[in-house]
Structures are given as C-alpha cells and as structure tokens.
Amino acid sequence: MWTSSRTRLRRLEAAWHQPATRAPYFPLVARYYDHVQHEPAYQRLPDQTWEDLNGDLLFGLLDATVSPVGQQCLYHRLRSPLADEAALHEFDAAATLLAQQSVARGQALLALDQMTAHEAYYLTDLLQGQPLPTLPGARFAPLLALGLLATLLGGFWLPGLWLGTLALALTNTVFHLWQRTRIRNCVRPLLQLGRLRRAGQALQRAALPLRSLQQLAAPLARLRDIMWQVAFFQVEDNLFVLDLLKMLLLLDVLLYARCRVAVQQHAPAIRTVFEAVGYVDCALAVASFRQRHATCVPHFGPAAEGIQLQGGYHPLVPGCVPNNLTLAGQGVLLTGSNMAGKTTFMRTLGVTALLAQTVATCPATAYRAPFCRVLTSLSLADSLPTGKSYYLVEAETMRQLLLACDAAPGSYLLLLDELLKGTNTQERVAANKAVLAYLQPRSWVVAATHDGELGALLQSCYVEYHFCETVTADDWYFDYRLKAGPLTTRNAIRLLARLHYPAQVVAAAQALSATLATRAQPVGPGEGTSADLTRREEDLVG
C-alpha cells in the first residue's frame, strides 16, 4: 500500500527518537562481520570479551538502525575497534550532523527505508568477489535450449523432428523445476541490489557532507550495468507466457550463469555502496543513542598520560552510579564484597574504551586515553564438551593474555575478575601475584580480587581501590562508589546473619574468622622493601 513520504518520515523519526525493542537474530546480523574477519584490522574483539562486556545487549541498546545493512555494519563496527583518530573524528562529525540537522536526517531515513527487506541480510554474499554457487548440470542448459529451438524450426522441413521437440520440452521442464528452488535461493541477494542502488542514489542526491557518499558515483554506475540482468528474475506476466519461455528455453538458468560472472566482477562496487549505506545507518543509530543517553566524545592522547575516566557509568544498568578513575603507571587492584560493584565498574571501563574506539561516543562526562585493545576475563566457565575444568579454562585464558601482551606490549587494557579462583587459596595468591606483576609493565591492568594479601604483595606496581557496603541490624545497602585504598571492613558474615542463617552457623563463622585474622601478618610502614615483601609472600603462601 502506498504511503506518502511525510507519513513515512513521521514514523521513521518516531522510531529514531525512541527505537522499539527488537530481538536481533545474530547469525544474520553477524554475517558481514564473519565475512571480513580474515581481513587485517587493529583488533577483532574476541568472543570471550564480547560476552564479558554483554556485547549482544550493548548492540541492542545502540541498534536504532533502519536497514539490515545498517545492523550488520553496526555489529561489525562494535566488534572492530579502530586506532585511527581521523576516522573516529569523521564518524563523530557524521553522527553530530544527523543529530542536529533534521532535514539531513529525514533524507537519510527515507533513503534507508528502501532497504528494510529481510533478504537484504544476504547481500553480504556478494561482497567478497566469490562467484555465486554453481547449479548442478548447468553446463548442459545451452545445449538443451538450442536443441529445442533447432528441432522446433527443423520440424517445418522434417516434421519427425517435432518428436524431439516434445522430448526436449519435457526434459527442459523437468530441469527447470529441478533448478527453480536453487535459483530462487541463490538470487535472493541479487534481488536486493536494486534497492541498495536506489538507497545509495538517494543518499548521494541528499548531498550530505560525508566522504563515504562522495565516492559513490562510479560504484553506482557499475551497479547499473548488472541491474538489467537481475531485473529479469523479477519480471512477471499475468498470461504466463514469460514463465513458459523460462521453462522451455531455460532462460533463468542461462541468465543465472551470466550473473555469476557479473557479480564477481562488480563485487568491489557492490561492497563500496553497501558500506556507504551502512555507514550512514550506523551514524543515525549513534546519533539516536546520544540523544537518549548522557555521553561525551573521547579524546585520545599518548600512553604517558594514561587512562582518565570521569563520570563513567554503564548504559545497560538503570540508574548506574557514575565513577572516576585515573589509570597511569601503576595497575589497579579492586577489592570489595560481591554485589558491591567491582565487576560492573570493570565492565563500565571496558564498554567505555570499546565505544570510544568504535563509535566515538562514551557513556561518561569525560574520557581520555591512548588507543588500546580491550581483553577481559570476567565470566569464564568450565567446558563439559571438551572436558576442561574451570581452572584449566582460567589457565588457558590467562596464557592467551600473557602471549598477547608479549606480542604487543603497551597496547592492551586488561580487565580481570578474580583470577585463578578455581584453585586453593595458597596457590591462587602465589600465581596471581606472579601473573599480575608480569602483566603490569606490559599493559593497562584492572584486576578484582577477594584476596586482600595481594595488595601488600603488589604495592610497588598496583594501587588499591575498593567498593564496600553498609550493613545495619535491619538492612544493608551499597553506594557503588569507587574509593581509594584497600578494603578495611568485612561484612560477609554479617550479611549471613541478615539473611537469617541459623545463629549457631553465624557464631561459628565469626569465631573462626577472628581466629584466622590473628594469624595475618600485616605489612607495616617500614616493611615495603623488596626483601620484606618477598619474606611476606613466603609467609603467606608457605
């Protein structure tokens, strides 16, 4: 049903201002990212880091795109951080333009609204310069078509040839029906090329000052050359004459063979238009995110200035308490009880760094940092299919982090939650101390732990921060504020009492905790030398 441009624009503007919650089907959304993973890039975010940072939910929060092409490009962008300040500034300018200029935004929305068909997800099959799938037996199609024509015409001189015409007509009909479903599936992305070209033309006519759109003239002209061939698959007639000709002369099979070659030749042009359309859709989505959330534009500086986060909050946590952190020289060791905010804060830092280097937008009041690759170990699990224990998964993950930092020292931000907790306390503390001391000169490290001893063992290269809760006789609450220094209170057993554990259990736990506390040997003001720390470590782990 026809709808006026004004009505469409009102609908699109309303969806842009407050996008409806939709559940993306990630195997389709990730198709473009999967197709280009083998290409060189500053970083491709590993699956573990993507999961640790709740990447699918983060994508859903940002996904105010109009088209499947925009969805695929946004997913690719979020998983491919850049180390190119000029490119990030250019994207920021595009998002700012579309946020502030309603006319330009309206033109972009209307252009992209032509690309909403589900089949547009399969355009990625045309981008790599690979030929479309071969149809089995397609090499015989020219012979079958020519044979039918030859016997049909020859029958006027030798009527007996018309028997061959009937036989070939039956053969060609069966062959056509056998190939029809395959052709329909293979040309599915081809049928979207016309819409892609029209969207690219509309964006080009809008004269938006975006570099990606200023280079579309030649690629759009090349797409026009293939459109005439593709249009044949969409032509229908009510009298079924064309369908009869397709069936008897195998026209669709013959034309598909030509399209296979044309797509391979025009792949660079198709990809240029695809990425330009997706770029504008991504910029629209980020502009929508900015008007729905408090954000800032990141600034990138030298490594010597460190990472400075002010008013950072997690956009997926309603009412998230903002926090500040300066990470320079030393690493950061976080302590605090469960639910106090340690892991959420590390995810906040990771999401901020990721969004800074992908969409030039940070959920914070200010963010300044060097370019860095984000790697995490926040939510590991054992693996039943491979028979790997939790500790083995942890150990293998840490080995990968160590190798990455050795290969590119100084270029990683590592977010680590309770390393090696799958083993006993004695060996965990010893291994944690060794691993964290090794990583600190080679990367930016923020590590959370429940082992208070690590603060003393690593005081030469790590600074301590903590989160804490307040427990009263009637309730407990968290303020989620990052505080300098080590955690000095312990409320875990009091929380058990607050949860109405049996009094005998609580009393026994308190008594044993007091006994264990007397065995601790705290590091005093004059015990900060390397020899003292070594002696302290031996006491703790021996």
Side-chain angles (χ1 to χ4, degrees):
M1 184 176 66
W2 180 83
T3 306
S4 69
S5 296
R6 183 174 298 178
T7 302
R8 287 169 55 212
L9 185 56
R10 282 200 297 268
R11 170 179 58 81
L12 292 168
E13 278 280 357
W16 179 82
H17 281 285
Q18 195 61 48
T21 302
R22 53 181 174 178
Y25 183 56
F26 283 100
L28 289 179
V29 172
R31 282 174 66 86
Y32 175 52
Y33 175 74
D34 294 339
H35 273 70
V36 302
Q37 270 204 70
H38 64 280
E39 298 178 359
Y42 176 70
Q43 186 187 13
R44 302 289 187 198
L45 211 65
D47 290 343
Q48 180 63 50
T49 300
W50 181 252
E51 292 171 7
D52 284 344
L53 298 181
N54 306 112
D56 289 351
L57 294 175
L58 185 64
F59 170 83
L61 186 66
L62 279 137
D63 183 22
T65 56
V66 179
S67 67
V69 173
Q71 273 192 311
Q72 291 176 327
C73 288
L74 178 62
Y75 183 88
H76 167 264
R77 178 172 283 273
L78 289 177
R79 293 200 63 169
S80 304
L82 303 174
D84 186 338
E85 190 168 0
L88 290 167
H89 283 167
E90 183 179 339
F91 185 83
D92 166 53
T96 302
L97 169 75
L98 294 171
Q100 296 177 350
Q101 297 190 18
S102 59
V103 174
R105 182 172 66 248
Q107 291 173 321
L109 288 169
L110 288 172
L112 292 166
D113 194 40
Q114 304 179 70
M115 288 292 304
T116 56
H118 179 81
E119 286 75 12
Y121 284 115
Y122 299 94
L123 278 167
T124 54
D125 295 341
L126 311 178
L127 306 182
Q128 299 303 306
Q130 300 296 324
L132 294 174
T134 305
L135 298 176
R139 64 182 183 275
F140 300 114
L143 297 175
L144 293 172
L146 289 173
L148 186 142
L149 288 174
T151 56
L152 178 63
L153 296 175
F156 289 101
W157 288 272
L158 295 173
L161 291 177
W162 282 336
L163 294 175
T165 302
L166 292 174
L168 285 169
L170 180 60
T171 301
N172 289 2
T173 299
V174 172
F175 189 80
H176 167 81
L177 296 175
W178 180 47
Q179 300 286 14
R180 183 172 58 181
T181 302
R182 290 189 180 90
I183 293 175
R184 189 174 299 161
N185 291 333
C186 292
V187 302
R188 181 164 47 180
L190 287 176
L191 301 181
Q192 294 300 309
L193 281 178
R195 294 178 180 272
L196 179 66
R197 181 171 176 269
R198 288 194 294 273
Q201 286 178 317
L203 290 173
Q204 189 184 39
R205 286 195 299 269
L208 301 177
L210 305 179
R211 188 175 62 176
S212 60
L213 299 180
Q214 296 167 0
Q215 303 169 352
L216 281 185
L220 287 172
R222 295 201 67 185
L223 257 63
R224 183 179 54 205
D225 298 338
I226 195 176
M227 292 315 304
W228 296 108
Q229 301 176 42
V230 175
F232 177 80
F233 293 106
Q234 298 172 295
V235 176
E236 296 180 358
D237 66 310
N238 295 330
L239 299 177
F240 301 104
V241 175
L242 183 59
D243 289 339
L244 183 62
L245 290 175
K246 288 180 180 181
M247 185 183 303
L248 296 178
L249 298 178
L250 303 177
L251 296 180
D252 47 359
V253 178
L254 296 173
L255 187 60
Y256 176 77
R258 293 194 60 183
C259 286
R260 288 184 69 245
V261 178
V263 164
Q264 193 170 7
Q265 294 173 343
H266 291 77
I270 297 172
R271 180 167 180 174
T272 299
V273 179
F274 178 95
E275 291 178 345
V277 169
Y279 185 92
V280 175
D281 212 350
C282 286
L284 277 169
V286 171
S288 172
F289 176 79
R290 288 179 175 183
Q291 63 96 29
R292 289 180 283 122
H293 297 271
T295 63
C296 70
V297 176
H299 295 277
F300 301 100
E305 296 182 2
I307 298 175
Q308 302 169 35
L309 174 67
Q310 295 181 17
Y313 70 96
H314 201 302
L316 289 172
V317 179
C320 185
V321 176
N323 278 294
N324 305 332
L325 178 69
T326 298
L327 188 58
Q330 293 179 307
V332 167
L333 204 60
L334 289 177
T335 53
S337 61
N338 290 321
M339 302 188 300
K342 303 188 303 297
T343 306
T344 298
F345 176 73
M346 288 194 292
R347 286 194 170 104
T348 297
L349 182 58
V351 165
T352 303
L354 176 64
L355 295 181
Q357 292 181 219
T358 54
V359 295
T361 303
C362 298
T365 56
Y367 176 78
R368 183 177 182 84
F371 289 109
C372 55
R373 301 170 175 90
V374 179
L375 290 178
T376 64
S377 175
L378 301 179
S379 56
L380 301 179
D382 57 359
S383 175
L384 289 176
T386 60
K388 293 181 178 179
S389 69
Y390 184 85
Y391 179 74
L392 182 56
V393 172
E394 284 187 303
E396 289 181 344
T397 301
M398 286 311 305
R399 178 177 177 274
Q400 293 171 3
L401 298 183
L402 293 170
L403 292 176
C405 292
D406 280 339
S411 67
Y412 284 94
L413 170 62
L414 304 183
L415 305 174
L416 314 173
D417 190 13
E418 298 185 49
L419 293 181
L420 307 176
K421 61 183 177 183
T423 189
N424 62 81
T425 303
Q426 176 178 313
E427 292 186 305
R428 180 178 66 247
V429 172
N432 271 343
K433 191 267 180 182
V435 167
L436 292 175
Y438 184 87
L439 288 174
Q440 188 274 327
R442 295 167 174 81
S443 56
W444 307 95
V445 184
V446 178
T449 182
H450 283 292
D451 297 315
E453 302 93 330
L454 284 174
L457 297 173
L458 294 168
Q459 66 178 358
S460 62
C461 53
Y462 281 81
V463 60
E464 290 190 76
Y465 289 86
H466 70 275
F467 289 89
C468 62
E469 72 283 352
T470 299
V471 181
T472 66
D474 301 319
D475 200 1
W476 78 86
Y477 64 90
F478 304 94
D479 61 12
Y480 304 112
R481 294 288 182 184
L482 182 67
K483 303 173 180 65
L487 183 67
T488 57
T489 60
R490 295 184 179 182
N491 292 323
I493 297 177
R494 281 195 287 169
L495 283 173
L496 299 183
R498 178 65 185 83
L499 291 171
H500 306 294
Y501 271 55
Q504 182 179 355
V505 172
V506 174
Q510 288 174 332
L512 182 56
S513 176
T515 301
L516 294 175
T518 60
R519 300 180 184 178
Q521 299 289 332
V523 177
E527 297 179 291
T529 66
S530 176
D532 292 331
L533 289 176
T534 301
R535 201 162 49 245
R536 170 67 178 140
E537 180 182 356
E538 291 172 351
D539 291 341
L540 286 170
V541 303

